[in-house]
Amino acid sequence: MEQKTIGLLFFSETFFLLILSVSVGILLGMIVSQFITAMLLASFGKPYAFSWAFFPDTVLMTVGFFVVCQILVGIGNVRILNKSRIIELMTANRQNEKPLHKSRWMPMICIFYGILLLWMLEVGAVKYYFYFDSRHPLPVKLMYWGNIVFPSLTLLWGITGAFLRRKTGFSRYLCGLLAGAVMTAIPTFSIAKLENTYFLGYDAPTLNQYLMFGIADILFIISTIIYLSNEALLYWKESKVSRKYHNTNLFLFGQLSSKLVTNTKTMTIICVTLTFSICLFVIAPVLTGWSLGYLDSRAVYDIQISSRYNNVYEVENLPDTDYDEITDFIEKNQIAIEDDLIFSEYLPKRDSFHQRVKYDFPPLAIALKDYNAVREMLGYEPVILKSDEFATHWHRAADVKDIEDYIAVHSLLETDTGTLKLSENPVFQEPVGESIYNLYTDVVYIIPDKAAQALLPVQRNRFVMTKRPLSFKTAEALEQLLASTYPEDPGKDNLPGYSTTIHTTEVNRTIALNFILKASLIYSAVVLMVMCLTVLALQQLLDAEKYHYRFSVLRKMGVEEKELNILVLKQLGVWFGLPIATAIAVAIVVISYFLQSVSAEISAYIGCRALMRQTGITVGIFALLLGCYFLSTWLLFQRSIRGSSNRL
Amino acid sequence: MKEILKLNHIQKYYGNGGNVTKAIQDISFSVQEGELVGIMGASGSGKTTLLNCISTIDMVSAGHIYLDGTDITEIKEKQIARFRRENLGFIFQDFNLLDTLTISENIALALTINKVPAGKIDGRVREMAGKLNIMDILDKYPYQVSGGQKQRCACARAIINQPKLILADEPTGALDSHSSQMLLSTIQSINEELGATILMVTHDAFSASYASRILFLRDGAIFTEIRKGSDSRKIFFEKILDVLTMMGGGLSDVR
C-alpha cells in the first residue's frame, strides 16, 4: 500500500472519530449545561426547571472549529506519513526512546533563573537601602538579609558552578541551584506573613513583585525536581545492592527511568499546570466567598449614600445635604419606607481636618443617638454611654488583636469639647456598612450626643430601608439619578465625592459577576486537571505495545501474574504520584502565602469553617478525578499487557 | 544417562468447531541430560508450537510432557511461572532483552527473579559474562551492542540459573553468518563445558549441524530423526541436507 493511501486511511479514521466525539460531546454538553443553569439560578435564589435548549448556530460553530483543527492537524500527519519510510512505520514500536542528553531545556532554564536571581538581588538591595531599620524585630531583619544573601549565594554558585560543570557534573550543579532556590523562596514567601504581623509598609506592587519572584522561584524548583528525579531514582537504586536486586526492582527502575529521562519537559509542564489547577481550586472559593461576604457588609441598607471629604480643603465646602432627591424619588415611585436616617459624622478634633496623609487619616466620630438608630435599623440592641464616655465600632475585617492593641493605648479620646474616657464596654463590631468609616481607617468613635454637637461634621449619610426590595429597574433609575447628582468623583478639587450603594443593583451585579468568576475559575481548574491527568494516562497507555513486549519477557522468564500486577501498580503509582505530590507540595506553599495575605478577609467574610468545607469539597473533587483516572489507566494498562496465547 | 525430557503422544489443536487446525499431530520423543537436540522443519511444521508447549508458554491439547519426572501438563496455573523460572532457560530469535536495562542488568534480572541473594548477583553475572566474552559490554544498553552480543547476553541470561533445559528458538535467525557461527560455538561450549541440556529449534542446516541429534518435523509429526554419532560436523551437515532434500519432495510430488 502506498504511503499516500495509508495517510488518507489514517486521516479518514481520525476524522470519523472526531465527528463521533464532537457529536457525543455536544449531546453531553447540552445535558451538563443544565447544571450550570441550575447553579446560576440557585445563585439568584430562583427555582430551576429543566429546559432543553438547542442552538443550531452554536452547534455549527463548534463542529466547524473542530473540523478545521482536524483538517490542519490531519494534513500535517498525512505529510509526516508520506515522508516516512515503510520500514520506519513497521518498526516504530521497537525503537528505543530517544535520550535527552543533548536537550538544552534545563541549561536554558538555568540561564533564565540566573537573570531572575540578579533581579531579586537588585530589588532586595534597594528595599534594604530604603526600608531597613535596625529597630526592626529579628524575623524582619532576617527577611531583609535573606533577600540579599540567598539570591547572591545562589547566583554565585550558578556562575562558578557553570565553569566547574564538567568537574562537578550537571546534576550536582543543579542540586546546588535547587538548594539555593529553596533557601531563596523562604524570605520571599515570608514577606506576606511579616507584612501582616509587623506592618512593614510594603505597598501592593512590592508585594505583587515578591509574589511573582516566589512563583518564578517555584517554577524553577519544579523544573529542577522533575529533571533530577531520574538521577535521584538512579542514586536510590545504586545506593543499596539489596534494593537494586530485590525481586523485579531492576525492571521497575528501568521502566521508570526510561520514561522519566525522555519526558522531563512533559512532566514539568504537567506539574506546573497541576499546581496552577490546585491553586485555582482553593483560591476560587476564597475569592467568591470574599466577594459575597463583602456584599453582605457593603450593601446593608436598601439605599445608602455617604459623602467623602478627602478632596475638600475648605470647611465651608463640606456638604450639608439631606439628599432630597431620594425623598422626591421615593414619593414619585410610591416606595414604602420602613426606616430613613439622615445623620452626620464628625472629626473629634477640628484641626485634624487637613490631616490627609494616607497612614494618618483621623477616625470619625458618630453621635450616640445616630449610632443607636443605625443599630435599630439593623436589628441590634442599642448602646448606652455615660456623658463622659466613648466607645468604638470596628470594621468587620479588623483583627481582634489589632483592636485589643489599639484599645490598650487609646483609653482617652481628646475632642474639641473635652476629653472622653473609654467605656467599660468599648468595642462593637457588627456589620453596619462600609461607608461609616473614614478613608484608610477601620474604626469609628461613638460619642455622647452632647459631645458631638460642637464638633466639625465632615461626612453626611443617608440610610434608607424599604418595606419591600426595590425592583431592579427602579433601583437602576435611582442609582443613575444619584450618580448624576452626587457623583463619586466630582471632577474638580474642593468638592465632596459621594459613595452610593443601592442594595438591589449591588446584589444582582455582584452575584452575576461572582457566578462568572466562580464558574470560570472552577471550570479552568477542572479542565486543567483533566488535561494533566489525561496526558499522564496517555503517556502510559500510548506505549502499550512496548509494555506488552516487556511484560511478556518477564512472563517468559517466570514472573507470576500477581507480581506483574504489583509492578504495574508501582509503575503507575510513581508516574501519577511524582507530578501530583510535587504539585500538591508546591500548591500548599503558594496557597499558604495567599491565605496569609488575605487571612483578615477570610475570617471576616468567609469564616474558617466555610473555607475548610470548600477546601474539603476541592480535595474530594481532586481525589475523585484522580481515582477515576488512575483506575481506568490501571485497568487499560493491565489489558494491554495481558498475554495473547493460552498462558501468556 | 538420565532422561531429562520426555514427550508422550502430545497433540495441539487450534480453533474450534469445524475449523480446527492440527499444529501437532502426535509427537513422542525424549531428551537425555547434556544432549544438544535440534528440531528442524519447514515453516508451519509445528516447531515453534512444540517448543512453546515444552516451555509451558502454551498448553497441549492431549498427551503429556515430563521434565525431570514432573508432568508439566498437570502443573497448576499458579505454579507455572515458578516452574518456568526454576527449570527452564530461553534463547529467542529476537533476543527478548529489555531495552530499559543494561546488559548486566538483563542478566541479573534472571537471578533476582529467582530470589538469589543480592550480594552474590554481581559476582555471578561477571563470571557468566567472562565465559561468554561479553565483559566489556556489561554497562551498555542493548541498542548500543551488536546482534551477536545481544544473543550472547540472552544466552547468559538463559543459563545463569543453571536450568534443567535450555530452549532456543531460531537463535541465529536475526544474526549475520559470522555472528551466527560465534553464537553456535558458544551454545556448543555451553552444552559441552557446562553440561547444559539444549533443545534448539531451527530451519537452518548449518545451525542444526552443531546438534548431536536432530528431529525433523513435517505437518506436525516427526518425519525422521538423525544422530551425529562419531561423524564429523561436515558429514553430519551433508546428512541434514539429504534429509531436507528428501522432506522437500521428489519428482512424484510435482503435478
Side-chain angles (χ1 to χ4, degrees), chain A residues 94-101 258 261-262 550, chain B residues 95 97-103 106 137 139-147 149-150 153:
Chain A
R94 301 300 300 274
Q95 283 171 1
N96 289 300
E97 293 185 40
K98 291 168 193 159
L100 200 76
H101 303 307
S258 69
V261 82
T262 50
R550 290 179 192 162
Chain B
F95 322 122
L97 295 178
L98 294 165
D99 53 356
T100 54
L101 303 184
T102 61
I103 296 295
N106 263 290
I137 57 160
D139 292 329
K140 291 190 173 173
Y141 284 89
Y143 65 88
Q144 294 172 311
V145 303
S146 70
Q149 288 171 319
K150 278 184 203 171
C153 168

Side-chain angles (χ1 to χ4, degrees), chain A residues 199 297 392-404 406 427-430 434 437 441-444 599-605:
Chain A
F199 303 104
S297 299
T392 55
H393 186 97
W394 289 83
H395 191 277
R396 200 175 157 193
D399 188 58
V400 177
K401 194 175 174 304
D402 294 344
I403 297 172
E404 284 170 358
Y406 188 90
V427 175
F428 300 93
Q429 210 178 0
E430 296 88 351
E434 300 277 308
Y437 308 100
T441 65
D442 51 7
V443 61
V444 166
S599 56
E601 285 78 7
I602 288 170
S603 62
Y605 302 127

Side-chain angles (χ1 to χ4, degrees), chain A residues 94-97 99 237-238 241-251 253-255 257-258 546 549-561 645-648, chain B residues 12 56-59 72-73 75 77-78 80-82 84-85 90 92 94-101 104-106 108-110 112-113 115-116 118-119 121-122 143 157:
Chain A
R94 301 300 300 274
Q95 283 171 1
N96 289 300
E97 293 185 40
K237 171 187 144 189
E238 298 295 341
V241 178
S242 59
R243 183 184 297 130
K244 178 183 174 184
Y245 290 139
H246 177 72
N247 209 3
T248 48
N249 274 4
L250 269 179
F251 179 83
F253 285 129
Q255 288 280 87
S257 181
S258 69
K546 204 176 282 177
Y549 167 78
R550 290 179 192 162
F551 278 84
S552 74
V553 171
L554 281 191
R555 271 198 195 89
K556 284 172 190 167
M557 290 174 75
V559 179
E560 284 109 347
E561 285 301 316
S645 72
N646 289 2
R647 269 179 173 155
L648 285 191
Chain B
K12 177 68 188 175
T56 70
I57 286 171
D58 209 345
M59 286 192 293
I72 63 173
T73 59
I75 295 175
E77 194 67 34
K78 282 185 177 176
I80 281 287
R82 185 177 180 172
R84 199 182 296 151
R85 70 169 181 256
F90 295 92
F92 297 95
D94 54 356
F95 322 122
N96 268 349
L97 295 178
L98 294 165
D99 53 356
T100 54
L101 303 184
S104 159
E105 288 170 341
N106 263 290
L109 187 63
T112 67
I113 287 171
K115 315 268 190 301
V116 171
I121 290 179
D122 280 333
Y143 65 88
R157 189 181 63 181

